[in-house]
Amino acid sequence: MVSVSLRNVCLDYPLYGAYDFSLKRRLLGHLIREPGEMRIIRAVDDVTIEAEAGARIGLAGPNGSGKSTLLRLIAGVYPPSRGSVALKGSVVPLLGLNAGVNLDFVAEDNIALLLRISGHKPGRTVIDEIWAFTELEERMRRLPLRMFSSGMLMRVLFATATAFPADILLLDEWLSVVDEHFAEKAQERLLNMVSQAAIVIIASHDQPLLRRTCTSIINLDHGRIASTVTVEPPATHANELREKRA
Amino acid sequence: MHHTQETSPETLEAPRRPSVLHIFKIYYPDLFGGTLTVIRDICASLKDAFASAVLVCSQSAERREIVVNDVPVERVRSFGNIMSLPAAPTYPWRLWRKIAAHDLLALHAPFPLADLVFAFGFGARQPLVVHWHADIVTHAGLRWFIQPLMRRTLRRAKAIIVSDHVLIDKTPLLREFADKCHVVPFGIDTSGYDWPTIEPHHVNDRGRLVLACGRLVPYKGYDVLIRAAAGHNFEVWIIGEGVERPRLEQLIRELGLGDRVRLLGSVNDCERIKLMCLSDVFVMPSVTNAETFGLAQLEAMAAGRPVVNTALDTAVPRVARHGVEAITVPPGDAEKLGEAIDTLIRDPERRRRMGLAARTRALSRYSATAFKQGMETVYRDAVAASNAERPATAEPPRATGWLDTVRIAAALAWSDMRHRYVRSLLGPFWMSLQMAIVVLVLGSVIGQMSNTGMLARLPMLALSMTAWTFLNGVVLDATTALQNSASLIRDRALPPVIFLLQCTFRQALFALHNACVPLLLWLAFSPHDLSHGLAALPGLLLFVACTFALSLVLGAMATRYRDLKPIIESTLMLAFLASPIIWSSDIINHRSTVMRINPLTHLFAVWREPLAGGHVDPASIVYVLVVLTLLVLASVLTLVHLRKAAFWI
């Protein structure tokens, strides 16, 4: 059973200024009794989220409201300062836009490396499937990624990241870069992943996108949950999708 | 017989009592003391609800498994004490083996040897209760090292038991976990103290017998008590045994108190109670906060004796309160202590009044029943809470396993290497060529300096250079590895340790390329003896292990403190010049101090000497093993802190 459970989670983010990275200063600060208190910002404040399989949660809020930090916290990048984070299932975090790609490598090698990083064997057929999904030209497979436009790069990364079913998928501003055609296709794939008993958590400014993809939307403000909105039952949503396909 | 009748119906109802493993450093019969009394009392009073077992260390070579008061005790062999800690190398192993068989772990802190086991995450499935007996006071210098371990232990503990609330307020480490702390004051079974002579009107004939009881260790402050006796006319009997005995005996002789001050040595329970009832004043002269409660003064109170104790930041002056059951004096002040004792000696009425108050307090506030109930509640809650959580923890851990970490690091390193092939025509053999040129130039220069056959030396020179390039490369790469992989750490949530491991793997692959230079030279210039190569293998492994541990520690530190990188760079340069890498040790005086202190000398010696067909100096092996141990400990600490690496990049 896949689930995400955050209970009263807080994260105090230490703000390292230009000088806080210096050991010299820290040691000398002790000697001359400089009040070397660490500045801290509470990036996530008392957040409680319980999600079961099939949940698609949207995180909305202005810049700096803690959306990305919350996703990183769920992914285990940051240890929570207080509260507990309990996940059941495998997590695929897709947070930064070009997470882990080496722009000097050719597209194919990048795909293989990304697959290895996420613990899969990069077989010939798997890469072929991924490439087919991107709908990019065959010859581009042998080109270094730095020749790709940002939209094309997104296609490659999305196709790679979603090639294998994940239990818990964390997305940060992912669907807003690609063109409309691919966005639709991506959405379909995401919905498909959700239907395979998965949890998706998406952070975005794009309210219409969140309303189309999610079952509930959490509005964040200064790291707190400002409000939780439940989106209309997914039935209408499925209809809408079918219409589009027709 | 009595007990079997009482417990059998219960054992029938409940098929199995949950078992508790008490973890401490020492137990009966090796020592008598307050903490041991507490453990024994817990085992005895909870025996209907919990099956107890004890795992401790012992210096005696006798039987490992013994039974003390119906409780099975396993004693792990210890080879003496280092800084109040038993040197029992196998203790963590035995503890790990025993953990799984018990439903509850009761750690009697402080005991860093056990913290080590919990810090590694072993026994995470069993609920842990920490009995906080004392803070580290005697060897406070070790605190920086032990505190993180203790914090980890406390963090995973279900409950922390202290004897008085003041300990939570005065101990910074406990304040962090104040919500887990439970105050359970020690209890005392006063029935044994109903000695017929306890009649309130009974006053010792001489009216001047002062009693103290506890191990003869520095923090008990018996030297203060003896000095206090010098200026007055009372008699002092001290019950207990310990390392301080020779010093105290000498002090008694110097002050000429042989007829009035007696060290009674170890005394059995019955005899001790008799002595307590016999005495006129009980003194607890402890001088540091290592004395957290003072169980002995509670016993004296049960015996109806007035107490003189010291104003420590612990429960000591709160168990027997100043002016009610006791006179409290500043710790370490012999004059005030002497005056306080003398005041009581001279005032039999006040003694009687305070003795009665003390007895009443022991009966009401520190009853054995309350202690038993408090303990049982905490233990039961801990077991129940863990049972409730167990379904959640039964799932495989979500953190990437060690095998995955290694696999990903290897994949990344392999891709780094392939990248080099792609970029240049010669591929990594460009590096080998470079190495060959360096070796040839250096070789000819050194050949000028010394007159021995240079050609025979060339293979070893090339190999040393390869090894140095490996170490240098790993450490330098590690200082920037985390920053360079910031995106993978923050966006793909990969554990940071992967990228430090990647440095070692990558440089190892490069070193394999470079190794073709020494290999060719060896084939050309040396007698081919493969057995030497095999003999060098363990040393080489040590070398690689040290390199990796060093890169782990320095890599994390250089990421957190950016000004370390230039320091590390220049230190490596210096180390290169000061180590026998390009020059061999026989060129200069082998016994020079710098050479002997320099760990690199030994790190190279452990594999180079056997390779050359010689024997390694045992001192080198010991040196390297000590360095490796320190590095491994530092690595463990680093791994703990590496959780926060995402904040640093």
Side-chain angles (χ1 to χ4, degrees):
Chain A
M1 199 55 191
V2 182
S3 78
V4 173
S5 154
L6 278 75
R7 277 189 208 134
N8 305 92
V9 171
C10 294
L11 179 73
D12 291 324
Y13 200 106
L15 293 173
Y16 295 114
Y19 300 109
D20 294 331
F21 280 118
S22 161
L23 179 67
K24 212 162 33 190
R25 197 180 164 82
R26 184 155 173 182
L27 293 177
L28 286 180
H30 267 292
L31 281 183
I32 57 176
R33 305 253 163 196
E34 186 187 78
E37 53 170 308
M38 193 142 51
R39 281 170 304 152
I40 274 174
I41 189 172
R42 181 147 284 194
V44 174
D45 194 356
D46 201 23
V47 166
T48 300
I49 295 175
E50 300 280 344
E52 293 290 319
R56 284 158 291 163
I57 297 174
L59 298 176
N63 284 334
S65 57
K67 301 187 296 285
S68 307
T69 313
L70 183 57
L71 285 182
R72 292 214 168 92
L73 198 124
I74 298 172
V77 176
Y78 301 131
S81 317
R82 213 178 306 150
S84 68
V85 178
L87 303 187
K88 276 182 242 167
S90 63
V91 187
V92 176
L94 304 173
L95 303 175
L97 285 182
N98 46 6
V101 295
N102 190 329
L103 292 177
D104 286 332
F105 287 18
V106 298
E108 219 172 36
D109 287 351
N110 265 303
I111 294 175
L113 194 59
L114 287 175
L115 287 177
R116 273 202 194 281
I117 285 174
S118 49
H120 301 290
K121 226 179 153 61
R124 186 82 247 157
T125 49
V126 176
I127 296 181
D128 283 345
E129 270 172 36
I130 290 172
W131 199 258
F133 188 81
T134 62
E135 300 181 353
L136 295 173
E137 286 175 53
E138 193 62 26
R139 64 184 174 86
M140 295 194 74
R141 283 171 75 153
R142 306 297 315 162
L143 287 182
L145 277 187
R146 78 185 118 79
M147 320 274 248
F148 283 43
S149 76
S150 59
M152 286 150 77
L153 188 60
M154 284 314 300
R155 286 181 178 217
V156 176
L157 287 173
F158 183 87
T160 313
T162 55
F164 286 90
D167 293 338
I168 301 166
L169 190 62
L170 309 173
L171 298 171
D172 189 5
E173 291 293 353
W174 261 64
L175 300 173
S176 43
V177 188
V178 287
D179 59 32
E180 215 169 289
H181 166 69
F182 192 77
E184 224 170 85
K185 199 171 155 181
Q187 202 179 319
E188 199 176 321
R189 195 174 209 181
L190 276 185
L191 286 178
N192 190 29
M193 283 181 87
V194 174
S195 70
Q196 292 167 19
I199 295 174
V200 181
I201 304 182
I202 305 177
S204 178
H205 297 288
D206 189 349
Q207 282 284 350
L209 171 106
L210 288 184
R211 238 169 261 134
R212 258 179 308 166
T213 353
C214 301
T215 51
S216 69
I217 297 174
I218 294 173
N219 286 303
L220 287 174
D221 186 39
H222 289 96
R224 292 166 179 279
I225 295 185
S227 61
T228 307
V229 184
T230 313
V231 185
E232 281 92 271
T236 56
H237 179 85
N239 284 340
E240 194 184 311
L241 209 87
R242 211 171 297 142
E243 278 163 32
K244 261 186 199 160
R245 234 181 283 165
Chain B
M1 192 61 203
H2 175 72
H3 281 299
T4 39
Q5 278 172 352
E6 204 171 72
T7 51
S8 54
E10 257 193 44
T11 39
L12 279 179
E13 272 173 47
R16 199 177 76 91
R17 296 171 297 165
S19 64
V20 188
L21 180 66
H22 289 276
I23 303 159
F24 194 52
K25 51 185 168 191
I26 195 159
Y27 200 58
Y28 300 104
D30 294 331
L31 190 81
F32 293 82
T35 309
L36 304 193
T37 317
V38 174
I39 300 176
R40 188 194 58 192
D41 286 355
I42 295 172
C43 294
S45 61
L46 297 187
K47 68 168 177 246
D48 296 343
F50 290 92
S52 299
V54 179
L55 180 69
V56 290
C57 306
S58 169
Q59 283 188 46
S60 78
E62 285 168 38
R63 281 176 306 144
R64 278 183 45 198
E65 318 244 341
I66 57 171
V67 172
V68 179
N69 295 344
D70 300 336
V71 175
V73 177
E74 176 172 342
R75 309 193 293 172
V76 180
R77 183 90 165 90
S78 149
F79 302 97
N81 280 321
I82 303 171
M83 311 246 226
S84 324
L85 259 189
T90 50
Y91 189 91
W93 162 256
R94 287 305 306 161
L95 176 56
W96 178 55
R97 301 298 303 166
K98 285 203 84 138
I99 279 174
H102 295 274
D103 302 304
L104 180 69
L105 308 175
L107 169 63
H108 296 265
F111 186 27
L113 213 52
D115 290 329
L116 211 58
V117 175
F118 296 119
F120 275 105
F122 293 120
R125 291 169 61 99
Q126 268 68 25
L128 172 71
V129 171
V130 177
H131 290 264
W132 187 268
H133 292 287
D135 199 358
I136 295 176
V137 178
T138 318
H139 297 287
L142 285 177
R143 190 189 289 256
W144 65 271
F145 171 69
I146 290 178
Q147 190 128 323
L149 291 177
M150 298 209 289
R151 183 174 287 121
R152 265 183 86 86
T153 308
L154 293 181
R155 193 174 292 145
R156 64 144 297 199
K158 286 273 179 296
I160 302 164
I161 299 176
V162 294
S163 56
D164 195 285
H165 205 275
V166 70
L167 292 175
I168 308 173
D169 299 333
K170 299 278 183 179
T171 316
L173 193 59
L174 282 186
R175 237 177 292 150
E176 291 173 34
F177 302 97
D179 50 337
K180 285 189 199 174
C181 289
H182 299 257
V183 177
V184 183
F186 296 139
I188 187 157
D189 181 10
T190 45
S191 60
Y193 291 82
D194 294 328
W195 204 258
T197 52
I198 200 164
E199 300 296 296
H201 60 260
H202 172 87
V203 175
N204 187 287
D205 296 340
R206 286 158 300 175
R208 57 192 189 101
L209 178 56
V210 174
L211 189 71
C213 173
R215 285 177 298 138
L216 305 182
V217 289
Y219 80 80
K220 292 283 183 185
Y222 291 139
D223 49 335
V224 184
L225 176 61
I226 293 170
R227 277 200 206 92
H232 298 275
N233 195 29
F234 48 76
E235 221 167 292
V236 176
W237 291 3
I238 299 174
I239 303 175
E241 202 53 73
V243 288
E244 281 285 282
R245 179 181 264 275
R247 274 195 48 210
L248 295 176
E249 277 172 348
Q250 197 193 342
L251 185 64
I252 295 169
R253 269 199 308 278
E254 278 170 13
L255 295 174
L257 298 173
D259 53 336
R260 281 199 289 129
V261 180
R262 286 170 60 191
L263 302 181
L264 302 183
S266 287
V267 158
N268 68 32
D269 285 0
C270 173
E271 202 67 20
R272 192 173 75 241
I273 293 170
K274 204 197 279 181
L275 282 168
M276 286 200 169
C277 295
L278 208 76
S279 68
D280 297 297
V281 177
F282 184 82
V283 187
M284 172 132 274
S286 302
V287 286
T288 74
N289 287 343
E291 190 71 76
T292 51
F293 188 86
L295 201 63
Q297 67 174 346
L298 185 58
E299 288 172 349
M301 286 163 73
R305 296 300 101 185
V307 176
V308 176
N309 58 18
T310 48
L312 299 171
D313 276 342
T314 63
V316 170
R318 294 162 61 97
V319 174
R321 295 160 301 175
H322 181 62
V324 190
E325 299 92 8
I327 299 182
T328 305
V329 298
D333 189 336
E335 201 163 311
K336 291 262 172 59
L337 185 72
E339 277 169 28
I341 297 173
D342 214 38
T343 315
L344 287 175
I345 294 287
R346 276 188 275 115
D347 189 347
E349 172 53 27
R350 188 168 176 196
R351 274 209 313 268
R352 195 190 59 82
R353 215 174 44 237
M354 283 174 101
L356 266 180
R359 169 117 176 128
T360 317
R361 185 165 168 83
L363 280 172
S364 56
R365 179 79 169 67
Y366 298 100
S367 79
T369 349
F371 178 67
K372 180 191 167 199
Q373 270 168 2
M375 278 304 166
E376 202 173 328
T377 315
V378 174
Y379 278 15
R380 276 196 198 287
D381 287 353
V383 172
S386 138
N387 282 340
E389 271 172 31
R390 191 149 289 169
T393 49
E395 294 277 319
R398 73 189 175 102
T400 324
W402 275 105
L403 201 63
D404 286 336
T405 303
V406 173
R407 212 164 39 211
I408 294 174
L412 286 169
W414 184 250
S415 126
D416 285 342
M417 232 244 325
R418 280 193 48 206
H419 197 209
R420 294 232 174 179
Y421 277 114
V422 171
R423 276 294 177 86
S424 71
L425 199 64
L426 275 171
F429 290 100
W430 175 244
M431 289 190 306
S432 310
L433 199 64
Q434 216 176 338
M435 172 64 70
I437 294 168
V438 168
V439 168
L440 287 178
V441 171
L442 279 179
S444 65
V445 170
I446 294 166
Q448 295 294 315
M449 287 199 282
S450 77
N451 41 15
T452 42
M454 196 54 232
L455 283 183
R457 274 220 181 118
L458 269 184
M460 199 50 100
L461 173 66
L463 195 60
S464 302
M465 275 305 289
T466 308
W468 170 256
T469 314
F470 168 71
L471 188 145
N472 191 50
V474 169
V475 174
L476 281 187
D477 281 4
T479 56
T480 49
L482 295 182
Q483 278 148 280
N484 291 343
S485 309
S487 128
L488 278 172
I489 295 174
R490 288 158 65 113
D491 300 334
R492 287 293 164 96
L494 290 182
V497 67
I498 286 181
F499 305 100
L500 296 173
L501 196 59
Q502 180 195 357
C503 296
T504 303
F505 282 175
R506 179 174 52 216
Q507 291 296 337
L509 286 173
F510 292 164
L512 285 182
H513 284 94
N514 283 341
C516 65
V517 176
L519 189 67
L520 287 176
L521 289 171
W522 177 71
L523 288 175
F525 297 118
S526 292
H528 308 152
D529 191 350
L530 271 178
S531 64
H532 290 168
L534 278 179
L537 215 53
L540 212 53
L541 282 177
L542 278 178
F543 178 82
V544 173
C546 281
T547 306
F548 172 60
L550 185 70
S551 74
L552 201 65
V553 175
L554 290 182
M557 299 243 320
T559 313
R560 173 65 185 83
Y561 300 110
R562 298 290 161 81
D563 54 341
L564 271 184
K565 186 173 170 344
I567 299 176
I568 293 173
E569 277 167 0
S570 51
T571 311
L572 279 173
M573 188 64 198
L574 195 66
F576 176 66
L577 294 174
S579 310
I581 298 162
I582 47 173
W583 37 275
S584 61
S585 50
D586 48 319
I587 293 182
I588 67 155
N589 179 10
H590 191 74
R591 289 282 147 213
S592 91
T593 326
V594 177
M595 283 268 297
R596 265 184 300 162
I597 294 176
N598 183 1
L600 282 173
T601 312
H602 305 287
L603 210 46
F604 275 86
V606 287
W607 57 268
R608 239 168 30 168
E609 297 291 330
L611 198 59
H615 281 285
V616 198
D617 187 1
S620 288
I621 298 179
V622 171
Y623 197 117
V624 168
L625 286 178
V626 168
V627 167
L628 184 63
T629 318
L630 290 177
L631 280 173
V632 165
L633 284 176
S635 304
V636 171
L637 281 182
T638 306
L639 285 176
V640 171
H641 283 285
L642 218 49
R643 264 162 62 87
K644 287 182 278 185
F647 292 129
W648 305 337
I649 48 183

